[in-house]
Amino acid sequence: MSRPATSAAPVTIALTALAPISWGTTYAVTTEFLPADRPLFTGLMRALPAGLVLLAVARRLPRGVWWGKAAVLGALNIGAFFPLLFLSAYRLPGGMAAVVGSVGPLFVAGLAAVLLGERPTVRTLLTGIAAALGVSLVVLKAAGALDVIGVMAAVASTASMSAGTVLTKRWGRPDGVGPLALTGWQLTAGGLLIAPIALLVEGAPPALDGRAIGGYLYLALANTAVAYWLWFRGIGRLAATQVTFLGPLSPLTAAVVGWAALGQALGPVQVAGMALAFGATVFGQLGPRTPVRGGGDGGAVVARGLGTPGGAPSPREVRS
């Protein structure tokens, strides 16, 4: 009876990995198809329509305490995460927010030890450090003066997503509720939280042409509805540290897309960083594979085409 569970683990890992891979395409779609200077509107268009579609498909609403739990998870994984992510992107040098976000596996390891009883091993900690170093080599450019508020926002966004990942795993799902409904709850709650912020900061929605509509449809359906469903499904079936170690696939995918589609250069140092981060991602899947009761998005904005585990574009790069 153990063989089916063992053989299913690589399939679950591969399907969950499709989420950060999809998020790595966000930057290219944003810069090539969407109106500039509207990062919060883009976050809203990703979250709320996708959440409403999933709610319509799942036909399940929260009950009892799950109204509160869904609101908390939606805020941590979407609603608070996106605005903090964008704030850090505006105020930090290109790539620095990604470096801060790449310590997400270490955040999750610490929270999982407290809330889930998943004790971090020396191997987990070293793998997390290696992943952060690899991402740093890929995205970190010439240093500039660091902004305290920007750094705090980057750390807070990483902590928010990490907490959302661990709480999603700890709380699981109500009986009879699948990951599709849980994903719809969180995206809807997060989108409703972002909506007033987007209206206050960016004003009325912009006029959209056919390319923009196509771009938003891709972000809402493939990049968000499907990707987040796979992500939350993976959280329910894998150890928390396994899931979060898939996060570096997002900036790695963005780097490859930027090189292949946008003509961005990849030097030897970046290639070495990609190899190190990818190796850490693979090594991070070799930890305990304990199924958990139920089944977040993690990462940080990076500049010059190196997207995020949450897939948010860098406002600085959208403007350029």
Side-chain angles (χ1 to χ4, degrees):
M1 296 178 62
S2 61
R3 181 170 297 178
T6 302
S7 61
V11 175
T12 300
I13 292 171
L15 289 175
T16 307
L18 292 177
I21 290 173
S22 172
W23 296 331
T25 67
T26 305
Y27 171 84
V29 172
T30 301
T31 56
E32 299 301 312
F33 292 91
L34 305 184
D37 292 324
R38 306 308 292 262
L40 291 177
F41 177 74
T42 296
L44 172 63
M45 291 296 291
R46 289 184 64 203
L48 190 55
L52 294 175
V53 167
L54 293 185
L55 286 182
V57 173
R59 297 184 179 181
R60 294 292 298 269
L61 292 176
R63 294 183 178 179
V65 297
W66 269 97
W67 282 102
K69 289 183 177 181
V72 171
L73 294 177
L76 291 172
N77 289 324
I78 306 294
F81 173 65
F82 273 0
L84 288 168
L85 196 65
F86 294 133
L87 177 60
S88 67
Y90 272 119
R91 303 184 71 105
L92 292 179
M96 180 58 69
V99 175
V100 177
S102 66
V103 302
L106 300 179
F107 275 57
V108 168
L111 290 171
V114 175
L115 298 177
L116 303 177
E118 294 182 8
R119 295 183 179 180
T121 63
V122 173
R123 185 184 68 177
T124 297
L125 298 177
L126 292 178
T127 305
I129 293 172
L133 177 59
V135 172
S136 301
L137 293 175
V138 175
V139 305
L140 194 56
K141 304 297 183 181
L146 295 185
D147 182 275
V148 174
I149 295 178
V151 172
M152 292 176 61
V155 172
S157 68
T158 302
S160 177
M161 196 62 239
S162 300
T165 297
V166 175
L167 281 180
T168 300
K169 193 168 186 63
R170 177 178 174 84
W171 287 341
R173 299 188 299 268
D175 291 338
V177 173
L180 193 70
L182 182 68
T183 305
W185 298 350
Q186 295 188 53
L187 288 172
T188 302
L192 291 174
L193 182 59
I194 294 174
I197 301 174
L199 183 62
L200 289 173
V201 174
E202 298 178 349
L208 303 179
D209 58 16
R211 288 175 61 84
I213 292 173
Y216 281 127
L217 284 174
Y218 167 77
L219 291 183
L221 298 178
N223 189 269
T224 302
V226 175
Y228 273 69
W229 169 65
L230 291 172
W231 186 253
F232 291 132
R233 176 181 178 274
I235 289 176
R237 303 186 180 198
L238 301 170
T241 49
Q242 281 183 285
V243 177
T244 194
F245 272 120
L246 295 173
L249 291 176
S250 179
L252 297 185
T253 300
V256 173
V257 171
W259 167 74
L262 304 180
Q264 297 169 351
L266 285 178
V269 173
Q270 288 180 299
V271 173
M274 292 174 67
L276 179 59
F278 183 75
T281 297
V282 173
F283 198 64
Q285 305 311 308
L286 303 180
R289 294 176 181 175
T290 54
V292 185
R293 294 163 288 186
D297 173 13
V301 153
V302 295
R304 288 295 170 201
L306 307 179
T308 78
S314 166
R316 179 184 296 106
E317 295 308 320
V318 171
R319 290 198 305 269
S320 62

